[in-house]
Amino acid sequence: MSMKIAILTGGGDCPGLNGAIKWVTKSALDSQLVKKRSVEFEVIGIMEGWKGLIEVDPDDPESRARHLKYLDEEVVRTWDRYGGTNIGASRTNPFNPKNDRSERMVENIKKLGIDIIVAIGGEDTMGVAYKLHRLGIKTVGIPKTIDNDLVGTDYSLGFDTAVNIIMEEVDRLRTTAGSHGRIFVVETMGRHAGWLALHGGECSGAYIILIPEYPFDMNRVCELLREREGREIQYSIVVVSEGAKPKGREGIYKDEKVDDFGHRSLGGIARYVAEEIEKETGFESRYVILSHLQRGGTPSSRDRLMARWYGISAVDMILNEDFGRMASLLHGEITSVPLKEAIDRMKPVDVDKYYDTERYNGRRTIL
Ligand code: F6P
C-alpha cells in the first residue's frame, strides 16, 4: 500500500520548521524502516501553508509545480541547519467565516490524492487541522511557536532559539547601556503569553521583566529603578513582553488590522515604558523592539533536536493511526495529545508559580 503525506507550515515562521520537515520526510522514506512496514510513503510539501492547498489547481501542472514541492531524503538533507521554512508559510484561515474556502481545500486534498496531512504550526494551524480531522481527513500536528503558549505540550519549536536571541541582544545592549548609564527597555514577542519575556529576561539577568499575565504599575517600575540609584550599577535592563499592559489599561497594538484568525498585531509597549520611566525618574532611557529578529537565523541545538524528535514522532503517529493528534513534549517525554486539547485557549505563565509580583521578575524561590 502506498500513501501520500503532505506537510505544511502555518502561521509565523521560526527556526526548527525545516528540521521538522526534514525528519518527517526522512523517517517516512527511510529505506531500513520501509522494509519493516506494510505501507510505503510519498512526501510532498505544500507551499505557503493552507493558502497553497486552497489556491492550487490540481488539474494544472504549472499550478501544481508552483504550490507543491516533492520531498525526498536528498532534497531535505541539509534543511535542519537553516531557519525559516523552505516551503513558505501563511496566516490563511480556510475556515474564516467571512471567506470560507474549506470546501475548495477539501476538494483539492482529495484531487491531489493526499492521504495524510502533517500540519506544523501554532494554535491557529492546529485549529484548522482539527477541523479537517473532524471532516474525516487524516491529520497530525507538530507544535511550533516562539511564544511557547500552545496548550498540550511543554515545548513548541522556535522558543529556545528566540530565547537565545533575546539573551544575545541583551548582552549586546548591556555594554552600551553601561557606557552611557542608561535604562534600556527591550520588547520581546510572545503575544498574550509572557514566556519569551520571562525566560529571555531571566537568562539575560534583566532587572525588571513585565509580562501580560500580570498588569504592571508604572510607579512600581520607577520605584524599583530608583532603588538602584547611587549603587555601583549604572544602568538597568527592563524586558517587556509585547502583550504586557499597565494596570487598568489595554495593551498596545501596532494598528487596527485583524488577520484571518482574528488577531491584531501587538507592538510598541517598550516605547511607552521607556518614555514613562524618563518622565517619572529623569533616568535617560532608550527602547529596542526585537521584533522579527527573534524568529530569524539558524535553529539552536534544542530546536534542531526537538524538530528531529517531533518529525519522527509524527510518522510514528501516522503508522500507529493516531490521527487527530499533535506531537508533544510532556514532563521530558515525547508523546502525543488530541488536537482538540491544543486549541481554543493558550497556555499563560502561571504567575503564582513563576513570577515575583513585588520585584517584577522571575521568582527567587523554586521549590
Ligand atoms: O505567534 C508568533 C508571533 O511571532 C508573535 O509572537 C507575534 O506577535 C506575531 O507572531 C507576529 O506576527 P507577524 O509575523 O504576522 O508580524
Side-chain angles (χ1 to χ4, degrees), residues 11-14 91 122 124 144-149 188-193 196 242 254 259 264-267 291-292 294-295:
D13 74 332
C14 67
R91 291 198 185 276
D124 297 331
K144 79 80 218 181
T145 165
I146 64 162
D147 307 342
N148 207 29
D149 62 348
T188 70
M189 281 188 167
R191 277 228 166 103
H192 302 289
L196 265 183
E242 63 179 4
K254 275 191 203 137
D259 76 11
R264 285 176 66 196
S265 288
L266 285 154
S291 190
H292 295 79
Q294 293 158 98
R295 299 212 316 238

Side-chain angles (χ1 to χ4, degrees), residues 262-310:
H263 306 297
R264 285 176 66 196
S265 288
L266 285 154
I269 186 71
R271 178 179 177 172
Y272 168 84
V273 172
E275 285 176 357
E276 288 297 306
I277 291 171
E278 202 163 282
K279 207 160 65 190
E280 290 303 314
T281 63
F283 299 150
E284 199 182 4
S285 305
R286 296 284 188 270
Y287 68 92
V288 172
I289 301 179
L290 294 179
S291 190
H292 295 79
L293 283 174
Q294 293 158 98
R295 299 212 316 238
T298 53
S300 66
S301 56
R302 178 156 167 85
D303 274 321
R304 292 184 202 202
L305 199 57
M306 291 305 300
R308 178 180 173 128
W309 290 348
Y310 280 158

